[in-house]
């Protein structure tokens, strides 16, 4: 069995999917774009601010289930511009401290709502 996870502290899904699904000892977090859940709009078109918002959204979903960013075991980062890789690394690293989940980063041609970044994650529970 699985459980759909939802929190008002993260943006509502943009389509027919859940913010996250908890199954067994894992939680699969859908890709989080930098949408501010209070305004339902993408934050300013700045990679630092957008990375922060995507990470805050992931953090809120984890906290809904009593978890933290330390529970992350894998993330995938989708970037509109790979030239911003080092900037994203720096901001992403601030959220994780010494914790280092496995990660992939890929450049994509376009993201929902023309975001600059989207991050999906897998956590252990």
């Amino acid at each position: 069995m699985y459980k759909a996870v939802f929190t008002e502290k993260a943006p509502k899904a943009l389509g027919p999917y859940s913010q996250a699904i908890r199954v067994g000892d894992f939680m699969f977090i859908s890709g989080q774009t930098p949408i501010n859940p209070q305004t339902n709009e993408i934050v300013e078109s700045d990679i630092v601010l957008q990375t922060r918002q995507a990470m805050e959204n992931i953090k809120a979903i984890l906290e809904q289930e009593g978890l933290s960013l330390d529970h992350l075991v894998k993330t995938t980062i989708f970037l509109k511009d790979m030239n911003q890789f080092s900037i994203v690394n720096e901001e992403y690293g601030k959220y994780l401290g010494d914790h280092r989940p496995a990660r992939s980063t890929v450049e994509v041609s376009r993201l929902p709502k023309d975001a600059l970044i989207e991050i999906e994650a897998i956590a252990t529970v």
Side-chain angles (χ1 to χ4, degrees):
M1 295 300 297
Y2 68 89
K3 172 188 172 187
V5 176
F6 175 78
T7 177
E8 293 284 342
K9 295 179 181 178
K12 293 180 174 72
L14 298 175
Y17 59 90
S18 299
Q19 288 174 331
I21 295 291
R22 190 167 173 169
V23 59
D25 290 336
F26 294 96
M27 186 161 69
F28 299 88
I29 301 171
S30 295
Q32 293 300 302
T33 54
I35 295 175
N36 179 320
Q38 283 75 44
T39 64
N40 207 32
E41 296 294 327
I42 294 275
V43 298
E44 186 178 332
S45 187
D46 173 273
I47 194 62
V48 171
L49 297 176
Q50 288 200 7
T51 302
R52 284 179 191 160
Q53 187 64 59
M55 291 300 290
E56 287 293 331
N57 294 343
I58 290 169
K59 185 177 166 187
I61 293 167
L62 288 164
E63 288 174 350
Q64 178 65 28
E65 294 296 299
L67 304 174
S68 71
L69 293 170
D70 289 338
H71 289 89
L72 293 177
V73 293
K74 171 72 167 86
T75 61
T76 304
I77 299 176
F78 303 94
L79 285 177
K80 188 173 178 184
D81 181 0
M82 194 60 81
N83 290 319
Q84 297 180 318
F85 182 80
S86 62
I87 298 167
V88 169
N89 264 343
E90 185 176 335
E91 201 58 38
Y92 174 89
K94 290 176 186 177
Y95 277 86
L96 297 174
D98 292 332
H99 181 58
R100 296 289 183 252
R103 186 183 90 186
S104 301
T105 304
V106 296
E107 183 178 73
V108 296
S109 63
R110 193 162 180 212
L111 290 165
K113 293 196 171 198
D114 292 317
L116 302 176
I117 189 169
E118 180 173 350
I119 305 173
E120 67 179 21
I122 300 171
T124 57
V125 297

